[in-house]
Amino acid sequence: MTTVIWALVALLAIGVYLSWTAGRLDRLHARIDAARAALDAQLLRRASVAQEIATAGLLDPAASMVLYRAAHDARQVEEESREVAESELSQALRAVLADPDQLAAVRAAPGGPAALDELTAAVRRVPMARRFHNDAVRSVRALRRQRAVRWFRLAGRAPFPPAFEMDDEPPELLVIG
């Protein structure tokens, strides 16, 4: 009789552990969803501000076209190509805002300082949002690699979460200045 009781206690403990792990996995998946929404919002904000600067007449025409095209592509791209388009926007921002004279001209223009302040805030938030998202993805991947999660299929049919990898290096003069 004692053996049956210990077996039931062991089964109950295993059930509680599996239930707790499944709940934790669910919370981590929700954290990924929230982090992805925050990342999408920051990327959209950065692209919108870049597009606004490109169309405001604050830059020379060639720089405006390069920045506008990269920002437009980042806003309109399909999800599969999003990382590449966002990286290209980062590269366009660095290329356009690498010239100190160009940056000074934007600052001197009416509305230029406010636009640059908004762009600076946007480019600083993107790496943080991406880091939060990728940390959540890393946590889920680590938990989903555990044997108990795989054996008992605690993740259900949820797809394996992808990390968001992109070039998010901000323009040097924008962040320094």
Side-chain angles (χ1 to χ4, degrees):
M1 185 64 168
T2 323
T3 307
V4 172
I5 292 174
W6 281 113
L8 288 175
V9 168
L11 283 175
L12 180 65
I14 290 170
V16 167
Y17 172 75
L18 291 176
S19 176
W20 175 81
T21 303
R24 181 171 171 234
L25 189 60
D26 187 52
R27 287 188 302 276
L28 285 173
H29 276 283
R31 186 173 143 208
I32 285 177
D33 291 341
R36 182 60 191 235
L39 175 61
D40 286 342
Q42 293 306 323
L43 291 172
L44 181 62
R45 180 173 182 238
R46 180 181 76 148
S48 297
V49 173
Q51 204 168 21
E52 184 180 311
I53 288 174
T55 58
L58 302 174
L59 303 170
D60 65 70
S64 291
M65 281 302 291
V66 167
L67 190 57
Y68 179 82
R69 174 48 67 199
H72 180 270
D73 290 348
R75 290 181 69 180
Q76 302 298 323
V77 73
E78 297 292 324
E79 193 60 36
E80 303 85 45
S81 305
R82 180 108 189 253
E83 294 170 349
V84 173
E86 294 295 345
S87 294
E88 288 173 355
L89 177 56
S90 294
Q91 293 165 4
L93 284 167
R94 284 196 306 271
V96 167
L97 299 174
D99 182 15
D101 296 332
Q102 180 94 282
L103 204 56
V106 172
R107 286 193 200 286
L116 284 178
D117 289 345
E118 193 173 351
L119 183 62
T120 301
V123 299
R124 284 184 176 163
R125 288 184 180 135
V126 166
M128 287 187 293
R130 188 174 74 83
R131 201 169 307 120
F132 289 144
H133 175 267
N134 288 346
D135 286 346
V137 167
R138 204 171 300 114
S139 297
V140 166
R141 286 180 174 180
L143 186 58
R144 287 182 69 167
R145 281 191 206 103
Q146 292 181 359
R147 282 190 192 119
V149 173
R150 289 192 324 259
W151 288 349
F152 292 100
R153 300 181 190 269
L154 297 181
R157 291 192 173 99
F160 207 70
F164 194 87
E165 297 301 331
M166 64 171 271
D167 172 8
D168 59 6
E169 187 68 31
E172 187 177 330
L173 292 177
L174 187 64
V175 177
I176 293 172

